[in-house]
Amino acid sequence: MVNIIDGHNIADKLNIETKNRVDELKKKGILPGIVVILIGENPASVLYTRMKQQTAAKMGMHSVLKKFPEDVSQDEVLAAIQEYNEDPTVNAILVQLPLPKHLNQTEIIEAIDPKKDVDGFNSSNVGKLYNNEKGNYPVSCTSRGIMTLLHAYLDQLEGKNVTIIGRSILVSRPLQSLLINENATVTMVSLHTDNIDYYTKHADILVVAAGKPNLIKKEQVKPGATVIDVGINKINKHLVGDVDFDDVKEVAGFITPVPGGVGPMTIATLMQQTVDLTEWSLID
Amino acid sequence: MVNIIDGHNIADKLNIETKNRVDELKKKGILPGIVVILIGENPASVLYTRMKQQTAAKMGMHSVLKKFPEDVSQDEVLAAIQEYNEDPTVNAILVQLPLPKHLNQTEIIEAIDPKKDVDGFNSSNVGKLYNNEKGNYPVSCTSRGIMTLLHAYLDQLEGKNVTIIGRSILVSRPLQSLLINENATVTMVSLHTDNIDYYTKHADILVVAAGKPNLIKKEQVKPGATVIDVGINKINKHLVGDVDFDDVKEVAGFITPVPGGVGPMTIATLMQQTVDLTEWSLID
């Protein structure tokens, strides 16, 4: 029988833990601070940034939502980041993606101080993760959130065959690094892969981050596999994932629903990592 | 019929090209400079560093072999790197690995200016590669050398299924990044993988970097596959690879011999990349 992975439950537990850590820091006179930068008015971005800013505020953190108009210049964004890099009340800086096309996303991400790069996208943090360096550094919140889900439901990841559909730098690639560093065997497949099923059918853990509604059917899934659905697609006002949930739950061992699976973990991990960055800044 | 990949031939061609680029730079009054740092007296390291330093000198570059005793302190090494980072006659800094155990290898690699990091191991260069960033940055010489071999013998890498045995940060991981960025589908397998053959038999390109002599036999190889052997093992004074060459050549389409396959590409790529770094420093 399939087990539904309860992202809300795991996220709630993590949030309680994080809130406790915030309280402990505040007792010592330390206030974790996060700045969320929103550029333009993409409805999803407006929604996500508001949720992020409000969740941090509710946890008692110093939480700023900095808005720029759609036509802001590259230099203005870089100047603001530079200011927050130097601002001791700010421990975490997040630039909501995607950015308007006239902006250079790579340059903006690279401008964030790696020690305040709460999304973990800065190349030096990515490189440390890929090289499995010891020490403290942030990683992609969604990827780390998926790892928290996996650890909550599976005894170990070592030796597991993992197939990731999609190879984005925001989720798939950092997740691949995290899994490899825990001794899983990982294949990232893409639309260039000629026989995706060869990899999906062998996967003990199947992660789908393709952005295509109901792409994955039960015939493609190994019986008993853990299926993690990163997709968020809107169809007739309903949210659906990249996995055909009702079909795949007949064969999967564990499966995340959409909504209520991976989604809640992203913001919970963002909060967790803001506190991490604050604590790490004290021991540097 | 199998085709033997001729690493010496490809390396020679690359070296001629690199030598021409050095000559062109010298006409403009620019002398590419490389420092090779050797710590201790590991016989293989002594051999490799001498070959690197001498090849660079033969090409007309400014080429320094800086030796430290086995018991050098971390601070002395870091101070030397800092000096070379600031030295305008030095475009490329290489620290020969492995290091004596009392030294912190990560800290030493991270101390090299990313713009002079000719081995491409600095986390910021690794992260740029993994994120497929545009622009100029160095990458692992052996990995890039393998890509040069593949491009010399195969029309395209897009859509190819690749299995890499081994997951070192020096070769396997950067090679994985390079291949993914060219739209190949890559699985890195390790000793934690329960059924390695599932991945090797599906591989259009099989890269073996396991450090185990004659590990791979023909039953594990897809007929017609391209087999790249990164292993260098000494058995009874003979060098052998990680692939059982005489056995596997019966089924492979292309195969690298050991010696004479990947080996010559590493130093040739080091020379190429030293000139790259020199040219990039002019346009920054």
Short mmCIF file of all heavy atoms in Angstrom, two decimals, chain A residues 38-76:
data_model
loop_
_atom_site.label_atom_id
_atom_site.label_comp_id
_atom_site.label_asym_id
_atom_site.label_seq_id
_atom_site.Cartn_x
_atom_site.Cartn_y
_atom_site.Cartn_z
N LEU A 38 12.24 41.32 -4.65
CA LEU A 38 11.25 41.03 -5.70
C LEU A 38 11.39 42.07 -6.80
O LEU A 38 11.35 43.26 -6.54
CB LEU A 38 9.84 41.08 -5.11
CG LEU A 38 8.67 41.10 -6.10
CD1 LEU A 38 8.60 39.77 -6.88
CD2 LEU A 38 7.34 41.36 -5.39
N ILE A 39 11.55 41.60 -8.02
CA ILE A 39 11.66 42.52 -9.15
C ILE A 39 10.49 42.28 -10.09
O ILE A 39 10.29 41.16 -10.57
CB ILE A 39 13.01 42.32 -9.89
CG1 ILE A 39 14.17 42.57 -8.92
CG2 ILE A 39 13.10 43.24 -11.11
CD1 ILE A 39 15.53 42.20 -9.46
N GLY A 40 9.72 43.33 -10.33
CA GLY A 40 8.57 43.20 -11.22
C GLY A 40 7.36 42.65 -10.50
O GLY A 40 7.32 42.60 -9.26
N GLU A 41 6.37 42.23 -11.28
CA GLU A 41 5.09 41.83 -10.68
C GLU A 41 4.56 40.49 -11.18
O GLU A 41 3.35 40.25 -11.24
CB GLU A 41 4.05 42.94 -10.90
CG GLU A 41 4.42 44.19 -10.11
CD GLU A 41 3.57 45.39 -10.45
OE1 GLU A 41 2.63 45.26 -11.25
OE2 GLU A 41 3.85 46.47 -9.90
N ASN A 42 5.47 39.59 -11.54
CA ASN A 42 5.08 38.22 -11.86
C ASN A 42 4.22 37.68 -10.71
O ASN A 42 4.65 37.67 -9.55
CB ASN A 42 6.36 37.38 -12.04
CG ASN A 42 6.08 35.91 -12.26
OD1 ASN A 42 5.39 35.28 -11.46
ND2 ASN A 42 6.62 35.37 -13.32
N PRO A 43 2.97 37.27 -11.00
CA PRO A 43 2.05 36.91 -9.90
C PRO A 43 2.60 35.82 -8.97
O PRO A 43 2.48 35.92 -7.75
CB PRO A 43 0.80 36.41 -10.63
CG PRO A 43 0.88 37.00 -12.00
CD PRO A 43 2.34 37.14 -12.33
N ALA A 44 3.24 34.79 -9.54
CA ALA A 44 3.79 33.73 -8.70
C ALA A 44 4.90 34.29 -7.81
O ALA A 44 4.98 33.98 -6.62
CB ALA A 44 4.31 32.58 -9.56
N SER A 45 5.73 35.14 -8.38
CA SER A 45 6.83 35.71 -7.60
C SER A 45 6.31 36.61 -6.49
O SER A 45 6.84 36.61 -5.37
CB SER A 45 7.78 36.52 -8.52
OG SER A 45 8.44 35.66 -9.42
N VAL A 46 5.27 37.39 -6.79
CA VAL A 46 4.66 38.25 -5.77
C VAL A 46 4.15 37.39 -4.61
O VAL A 46 4.40 37.66 -3.44
CB VAL A 46 3.50 39.08 -6.38
CG1 VAL A 46 2.70 39.78 -5.27
CG2 VAL A 46 4.05 40.10 -7.38
N LEU A 47 3.47 36.29 -4.97
CA LEU A 47 2.92 35.38 -3.96
C LEU A 47 4.03 34.75 -3.13
O LEU A 47 4.02 34.78 -1.89
CB LEU A 47 2.10 34.29 -4.67
CG LEU A 47 1.51 33.20 -3.77
CD1 LEU A 47 0.41 33.78 -2.89
CD2 LEU A 47 0.95 32.05 -4.62
N TYR A 48 5.05 34.18 -3.81
CA TYR A 48 6.12 33.48 -3.09
C TYR A 48 6.90 34.43 -2.19
O TYR A 48 7.22 34.10 -1.04
CB TYR A 48 7.09 32.82 -4.08
CG TYR A 48 6.52 31.65 -4.83
CD1 TYR A 48 6.87 31.42 -6.16
CD2 TYR A 48 5.64 30.76 -4.23
CE1 TYR A 48 6.35 30.35 -6.87
CE2 TYR A 48 5.12 29.68 -4.93
CZ TYR A 48 5.47 29.47 -6.25
OH TYR A 48 4.97 28.42 -6.95
N THR A 49 7.24 35.63 -2.70
CA THR A 49 8.05 36.54 -1.88
C THR A 49 7.26 37.00 -0.66
O THR A 49 7.83 37.13 0.42
CB THR A 49 8.52 37.77 -2.69
OG1 THR A 49 7.40 38.37 -3.34
CG2 THR A 49 9.56 37.38 -3.72
N ARG A 50 5.95 37.23 -0.85
CA ARG A 50 5.14 37.64 0.31
C ARG A 50 5.12 36.52 1.36
O ARG A 50 5.30 36.75 2.55
CB ARG A 50 3.72 37.99 -0.13
CG ARG A 50 2.95 38.73 0.96
CD ARG A 50 1.50 38.99 0.55
NE ARG A 50 1.39 39.76 -0.67
CZ ARG A 50 0.46 39.57 -1.61
NH1 ARG A 50 -0.44 38.60 -1.47
NH2 ARG A 50 0.43 40.31 -2.69
N MET A 51 4.93 35.28 0.89
CA MET A 51 4.92 34.14 1.83
C MET A 51 6.25 34.03 2.57
O MET A 51 6.29 33.76 3.78
CB MET A 51 4.64 32.83 1.09
CG MET A 51 3.18 32.64 0.69
SD MET A 51 2.97 31.25 -0.48
CE MET A 51 3.46 29.86 0.52
N LYS A 52 7.33 34.21 1.85
CA LYS A 52 8.65 34.09 2.46
C LYS A 52 8.86 35.19 3.51
O LYS A 52 9.30 34.93 4.63
CB LYS A 52 9.75 34.14 1.39
CG LYS A 52 9.77 32.90 0.50
CD LYS A 52 10.68 33.04 -0.72
CE LYS A 52 10.60 31.77 -1.59
NZ LYS A 52 11.42 31.87 -2.82
N GLN A 53 8.54 36.41 3.10
CA GLN A 53 8.75 37.54 4.00
C GLN A 53 7.87 37.40 5.24
O GLN A 53 8.32 37.61 6.37
CB GLN A 53 8.43 38.84 3.24
CG GLN A 53 8.84 40.11 4.00
CD GLN A 53 7.72 40.62 4.87
OE1 GLN A 53 6.54 40.43 4.56
NE2 GLN A 53 8.07 41.25 6.00
N GLN A 54 6.61 37.01 5.04
CA GLN A 54 5.67 36.91 6.17
C GLN A 54 6.03 35.76 7.11
O GLN A 54 5.92 35.89 8.34
CB GLN A 54 4.24 36.76 5.65
CG GLN A 54 3.70 38.05 5.04
CD GLN A 54 2.30 37.91 4.47
OE1 GLN A 54 1.78 36.78 4.37
NE2 GLN A 54 1.69 39.02 4.09
N THR A 55 6.45 34.63 6.54
CA THR A 55 6.84 33.50 7.38
C THR A 55 8.02 33.88 8.27
O THR A 55 8.03 33.58 9.47
CB THR A 55 7.20 32.27 6.52
OG1 THR A 55 6.13 32.01 5.62
CG2 THR A 55 7.43 31.04 7.39
N ALA A 56 9.00 34.55 7.69
CA ALA A 56 10.17 34.98 8.49
C ALA A 56 9.73 35.94 9.59
O ALA A 56 10.20 35.85 10.73
CB ALA A 56 11.21 35.63 7.58
N ALA A 57 8.84 36.86 9.26
CA ALA A 57 8.35 37.82 10.26
C ALA A 57 7.62 37.10 11.38
O ALA A 57 7.83 37.38 12.56
CB ALA A 57 7.45 38.86 9.59
N LYS A 58 6.77 36.14 11.00
CA LYS A 58 6.02 35.37 12.01
C LYS A 58 6.96 34.62 12.95
O LYS A 58 6.63 34.39 14.12
CB LYS A 58 5.12 34.35 11.32
CG LYS A 58 3.72 34.87 11.03
CD LYS A 58 2.84 33.73 10.49
CE LYS A 58 1.89 34.26 9.44
NZ LYS A 58 1.38 33.21 8.55
N MET A 59 8.09 34.21 12.43
CA MET A 59 9.06 33.49 13.27
C MET A 59 9.84 34.44 14.16
O MET A 59 10.71 34.00 14.92
CB MET A 59 10.01 32.69 12.40
CG MET A 59 9.35 31.51 11.76
SD MET A 59 10.54 30.23 11.44
CE MET A 59 9.46 28.93 10.87
N GLY A 60 9.59 35.71 14.00
CA GLY A 60 10.28 36.69 14.84
C GLY A 60 11.58 37.19 14.28
O GLY A 60 12.38 37.82 14.97
N MET A 61 11.83 36.88 12.99
CA MET A 61 13.07 37.37 12.39
C MET A 61 12.90 38.80 11.88
O MET A 61 11.78 39.29 11.69
CB MET A 61 13.47 36.50 11.19
CG MET A 61 13.65 35.03 11.51
SD MET A 61 14.40 34.18 10.08
CE MET A 61 13.70 32.54 10.27
N HIS A 62 14.01 39.46 11.66
CA HIS A 62 14.02 40.73 10.94
C HIS A 62 13.82 40.39 9.46
O HIS A 62 14.63 39.69 8.86
CB HIS A 62 15.38 41.41 11.18
CG HIS A 62 15.64 42.59 10.31
ND1 HIS A 62 14.80 43.68 10.23
CD2 HIS A 62 16.69 42.87 9.47
CE1 HIS A 62 15.30 44.57 9.41
NE2 HIS A 62 16.45 44.10 8.93
N SER A 63 12.71 40.84 8.90
CA SER A 63 12.32 40.34 7.58
C SER A 63 11.91 41.50 6.68
O SER A 63 10.96 42.23 6.99
CB SER A 63 11.15 39.36 7.75
OG SER A 63 10.68 38.95 6.50
N VAL A 64 12.62 41.67 5.58
CA VAL A 64 12.39 42.81 4.68
C VAL A 64 12.01 42.30 3.29
O VAL A 64 12.66 41.39 2.76
CB VAL A 64 13.67 43.67 4.56
CG1 VAL A 64 13.47 44.80 3.56
CG2 VAL A 64 14.08 44.20 5.93
N LEU A 65 10.95 42.89 2.73
CA LEU A 65 10.63 42.62 1.33
C LEU A 65 11.01 43.86 0.54
O LEU A 65 10.40 44.92 0.69
CB LEU A 65 9.14 42.30 1.16
CG LEU A 65 8.66 42.05 -0.27
CD1 LEU A 65 9.45 40.94 -0.94
CD2 LEU A 65 7.17 41.70 -0.29
N LYS A 66 12.05 43.74 -0.28
CA LYS A 66 12.53 44.88 -1.06
C LYS A 66 12.01 44.73 -2.49
O LYS A 66 12.34 43.76 -3.18
CB LYS A 66 14.06 44.88 -1.04
CG LYS A 66 14.72 45.86 -1.98
CD LYS A 66 14.59 47.29 -1.49
CE LYS A 66 15.27 48.25 -2.46
NZ LYS A 66 15.03 49.66 -2.08
N LYS A 67 11.22 45.71 -2.94
CA LYS A 67 10.63 45.62 -4.27
C LYS A 67 11.30 46.57 -5.25
O LYS A 67 11.61 47.71 -4.90
CB LYS A 67 9.14 45.98 -4.20
CG LYS A 67 8.28 44.98 -3.46
CD LYS A 67 6.82 45.40 -3.54
CE LYS A 67 5.97 44.65 -2.52
NZ LYS A 67 4.58 45.10 -2.49
N PHE A 68 11.50 46.08 -6.46
CA PHE A 68 11.97 46.93 -7.55
C PHE A 68 10.96 46.87 -8.69
O PHE A 68 10.35 45.81 -8.91
CB PHE A 68 13.32 46.45 -8.08
CG PHE A 68 14.48 46.76 -7.19
CD1 PHE A 68 15.11 45.74 -6.48
CD2 PHE A 68 14.96 48.06 -7.07
CE1 PHE A 68 16.20 46.03 -5.67
CE2 PHE A 68 16.04 48.34 -6.26
CZ PHE A 68 16.65 47.32 -5.56
N PRO A 69 10.82 47.95 -9.44
CA PRO A 69 9.94 47.87 -10.62
C PRO A 69 10.55 46.97 -11.71
O PRO A 69 11.76 46.74 -11.73
CB PRO A 69 9.86 49.32 -11.10
CG PRO A 69 11.09 49.97 -10.57
CD PRO A 69 11.41 49.27 -9.27
N GLU A 70 9.70 46.47 -12.55
CA GLU A 70 10.08 45.59 -13.67
C GLU A 70 11.29 46.13 -14.47
O GLU A 70 12.15 45.36 -14.88
CB GLU A 70 8.86 45.46 -14.61
CG GLU A 70 9.04 44.56 -15.81
CD GLU A 70 8.83 43.10 -15.48
OE1 GLU A 70 8.22 42.78 -14.43
OE2 GLU A 70 9.31 42.25 -16.27
N ASP A 71 11.35 47.44 -14.65
CA ASP A 71 12.40 47.99 -15.53
C ASP A 71 13.62 48.49 -14.76
O ASP A 71 14.39 49.30 -15.26
CB ASP A 71 11.81 49.13 -16.37
CG ASP A 71 11.33 50.30 -15.49
OD1 ASP A 71 11.32 50.13 -14.24
OD2 ASP A 71 10.99 51.35 -16.05
N VAL A 72 13.82 47.98 -13.54
CA VAL A 72 14.99 48.39 -12.76
C VAL A 72 16.27 48.05 -13.54
O VAL A 72 16.31 47.07 -14.30
CB VAL A 72 15.00 47.69 -11.38
CG1 VAL A 72 15.16 46.19 -11.54
CG2 VAL A 72 16.08 48.24 -10.46
N SER A 73 17.30 48.84 -13.34
CA SER A 73 18.56 48.56 -14.06
C SER A 73 19.40 47.54 -13.29
O SER A 73 19.27 47.40 -12.07
CB SER A 73 19.37 49.85 -14.25
OG SER A 73 19.93 50.24 -13.01
N GLN A 74 20.27 46.88 -14.04
CA GLN A 74 21.21 45.93 -13.45
C GLN A 74 22.00 46.60 -12.31
O GLN A 74 22.14 46.02 -11.23
CB GLN A 74 22.16 45.43 -14.55
CG GLN A 74 23.21 44.42 -14.13
CD GLN A 74 22.66 43.00 -14.03
OE1 GLN A 74 21.52 42.72 -14.43
NE2 GLN A 74 23.46 42.11 -13.48
N ASP A 75 22.46 47.82 -12.56
CA ASP A 75 23.30 48.50 -11.57
C ASP A 75 22.54 48.80 -10.28
O ASP A 75 23.12 48.73 -9.19
CB ASP A 75 23.84 49.81 -12.17
CG ASP A 75 24.98 49.54 -13.14
OD1 ASP A 75 25.49 48.39 -13.15
OD2 ASP A 75 25.37 50.45 -13.89
N GLU A 76 21.26 49.13 -10.41
CA GLU A 76 20.49 49.40 -9.20
C GLU A 76 20.35 48.14 -8.34
O GLU A 76 20.44 48.19 -7.11
CB GLU A 76 19.09 49.92 -9.56
CG GLU A 76 19.06 51.40 -9.97
CD GLU A 76 17.67 51.82 -10.45
OE1 GLU A 76 17.38 51.60 -11.66
OE2 GLU A 76 16.88 52.32 -9.64
#
